[in-house]
Amino acid sequence: MLIAVAMFSLMDTSMKILSARYPAMQVTALRALSSLPLVCAYIAYRGAFGRIFQVRWSMHLLRGVLGVGMLTMFAFGLQKLSLAETYALFFIAPALITALSVWWLKERVDGAQWGAIAVGLGGVMVVLRPDGAHFFSLGGLAVLASAACYAVSAIASRLLSRTDSSEQIMFWLLVMMAVGGVALSARDWVALRAEDVPVIAGLAVSGFLGQLAITVAFSSGKASTVAPFEYSALAWGVAIDWLLWRTLPDRYTLLGAAIIIASGVYLVRREAVHVEAEHP
């Protein structure tokens, strides 16, 4: 998970650099198009292309739409916010997944978990600034919308995993994001610059390696043990912000991030207790 988070942080850095030069929708298309050849090579290596079309199309289409929305709004947020601020807000996603699991997956969420979700939302309010100066920041709201798309997509992925393989899920998400991203950005497409080719290559490799690493992490370790390491992204965000843009998060961002992380870790641990109680 630590390797996955490092790779995704480098991927997000590439997206932030590109989002300053290209429209957010085009960055989504570039993210999908650049990684697709690597994913195809991996699936071919695994010999998994034989069943690639035997999928639940409605769920894959839903995830494709959500994926385009998630990445586009995330890229827009990166245009407006630092990496650390973006990560601090996006950390609300685990709480949203827990809340949505009640309706979609019929999972049990107790009062303590609902309390942790409320605390996490309070942390979001802190990151968005209690003084109101940045409360309605378009960048902040875009990141929250991106987190909501991610949460719904994660629930859909859980449902899909009951019938479709991880290779099918990964492949069709990238294909649909590539098609949707290109179609929606074609009118405002900006010609790629030669100096951005290394950044796009870094985007492709880091995204692909991050996906592989996170798959290994969750397949070889307990989710309750592995998931909290995802919050190491904040350290990467602070370090990269300082190295590349000479910016540091303010006290509101750090305080809000601490509240959201504490809420998320509690939810993961609490879920582990429920699972152990149901399946001793």
Side-chain angles (χ1 to χ4, degrees):
M1 178 57 89
L2 289 174
I3 293 173
V5 170
M7 290 297 101
F8 285 138
S9 297
L10 294 177
M11 180 191 77
D12 293 339
T13 301
S14 300
M15 288 183 61
K16 183 172 177 63
I17 292 172
L18 293 172
S19 67
R21 304 168 185 173
Y22 305 97
M25 187 65 72
Q26 184 174 342
V27 174
T28 295
L30 292 173
R31 160 70 181 96
L33 288 170
S34 62
S35 291
L36 195 54
L38 295 175
V39 170
C40 288
Y42 173 73
I43 293 175
Y45 169 76
R46 300 268 296 180
F49 266 120
R51 296 181 60 251
I52 205 68
F53 290 100
Q54 300 171 17
V55 296
R56 297 169 61 186
W57 288 109
S58 59
M59 294 297 291
H60 284 283
L61 286 170
L62 172 63
R63 293 194 74 236
V65 171
L66 291 169
V68 170
M70 177 189 71
L71 272 185
T72 301
M73 287 182 284
F74 192 79
F76 180 81
L78 287 172
Q79 288 179 350
K80 309 297 182 182
L81 305 174
S82 68
L83 275 177
E85 289 174 320
T86 302
Y87 286 156
L89 289 172
F90 199 82
F91 283 158
I92 196 60
L96 296 178
I97 292 172
T98 300
L100 290 172
S101 67
V102 174
W103 289 279
W104 283 23
L105 300 178
K106 307 303 179 184
E107 294 181 355
R108 182 171 62 88
V109 175
D110 60 26
Q113 288 173 296
W114 283 117
I117 292 171
V119 170
L121 292 174
V124 169
M125 297 299 105
V126 174
V127 176
L128 288 175
R129 309 295 186 274
D131 60 5
H134 299 86
F135 194 79
F136 291 105
S137 160
L138 288 178
L141 294 177
V143 174
L144 290 177
S146 177
C149 287
Y150 173 81
V152 177
S153 181
I155 296 293
S157 182
R158 285 191 194 178
L159 294 171
L160 265 177
S161 65
R162 298 172 182 175
T163 56
D164 296 3
S165 68
S166 58
E167 290 87 1
Q168 291 169 320
I169 293 172
M170 187 189 310
F171 175 77
W172 285 114
L173 176 62
L174 281 178
V175 167
M176 291 181 183
M177 286 198 304
V179 172
V182 170
L184 293 172
S185 63
R187 189 180 65 176
D188 300 316
W189 189 271
V190 176
L192 300 181
R193 303 190 303 184
E195 56 265 36
D196 290 329
V197 172
V199 180
I200 295 172
L203 176 68
V205 174
S206 58
F208 173 70
L209 293 178
Q211 190 62 53
L212 287 183
I214 200 169
T215 300
V216 172
F218 279 112
S219 64
S220 60
K222 288 184 178 181
S224 59
T225 302
V226 172
F229 287 97
E230 188 170 356
Y231 295 116
S232 62
L234 185 61
W236 281 102
V238 171
I240 294 171
D241 278 338
W242 174 248
L243 288 173
L244 296 185
W245 294 286
R246 289 294 187 265
T247 63
L248 288 173
D250 60 19
R251 64 183 185 277
Y252 288 136
T253 300
L254 293 176
L255 175 60
I259 294 171
I260 296 168
I261 290 172
S263 167
V265 171
Y266 177 82
L267 286 170
V268 171
R269 297 298 189 187
R270 189 75 176 180
E271 178 62 22
V273 171
H274 285 173
V275 171
E276 291 176 2
E278 294 172 1
H279 306 282

